Amino acid sequence: MITALLIALLIAGTLANAARKSDFDVALLRDAFVADAGINASLPQEVVDARTLLQTYPLEEGSLLSLGQGLRDDTLLQQRMWEALFPQRFSDADARMRILRAADPVAATCTLIERSGDVILADCA
């Protein structure tokens, strides 16, 4: 019994030491079962901003969304957008509703719906 207690204390101490050395955020552990816990720490900022936009301005069911060239060219951002915005359907062709970087040249020809950080939701009819 004492051996098991010592082993448990040794394991707890080792985990605490590893967490301290890696700058582990205890708040993330406390919120582990809360919806969207850690999303800001785990996703690129553009994806978090796009998610915020689509939660504020949800698209009609079945409507397609396309990514601007700057977001589409970055395969990591493209994949994370697909994952984080599921069940939103994406189109490889330019759809009417688009998520673009603010500096995207196409943004000037579209109607701005909302901006969040460096990402905009635009209607490019």
Side-chain angles (χ1 to χ4, degrees), residues 2-64:
I2 293 175
T3 304
L5 181 61
L6 287 174
I7 291 173
L9 288 173
L10 180 63
I11 291 172
T14 303
L15 289 174
N17 188 38
R20 186 174 39 83
K21 286 182 179 179
S22 67
D23 296 325
F24 179 74
D25 188 359
V26 177
L28 291 177
L29 185 60
R30 276 184 284 221
D31 296 336
F33 298 106
V34 174
D36 295 338
I39 193 168
N40 292 331
S42 61
L43 290 176
Q45 190 58 46
E46 292 91 339
V47 178
V48 174
D49 293 339
R51 209 163 174 262
T52 301
L53 287 173
L54 288 182
Q55 287 171 342
T56 306
Y57 298 93
L59 303 181
E60 295 176 17
E61 188 173 329
S63 65
L64 296 175

Side-chain angles (χ1 to χ4, degrees), residues 96 98 100 104-112 120 122-125:
R96 177 179 177 170
R98 297 185 197 168
L100 309 161
D104 194 323
V106 176
T109 62
C110 299
T111 304
L112 173 71
I120 62 172
D123 184 350
C124 299

Side-chain angles (χ1 to χ4, degrees), residues 46-47 50 67 71 77-85 90:
E46 292 91 339
V47 178
L67 298 176
L71 297 172
L77 283 177
Q78 182 184 39
Q79 182 65 36
R80 294 298 178 255
M81 289 280 188
W82 291 345
E83 294 166 354
L85 302 179
F90 286 88

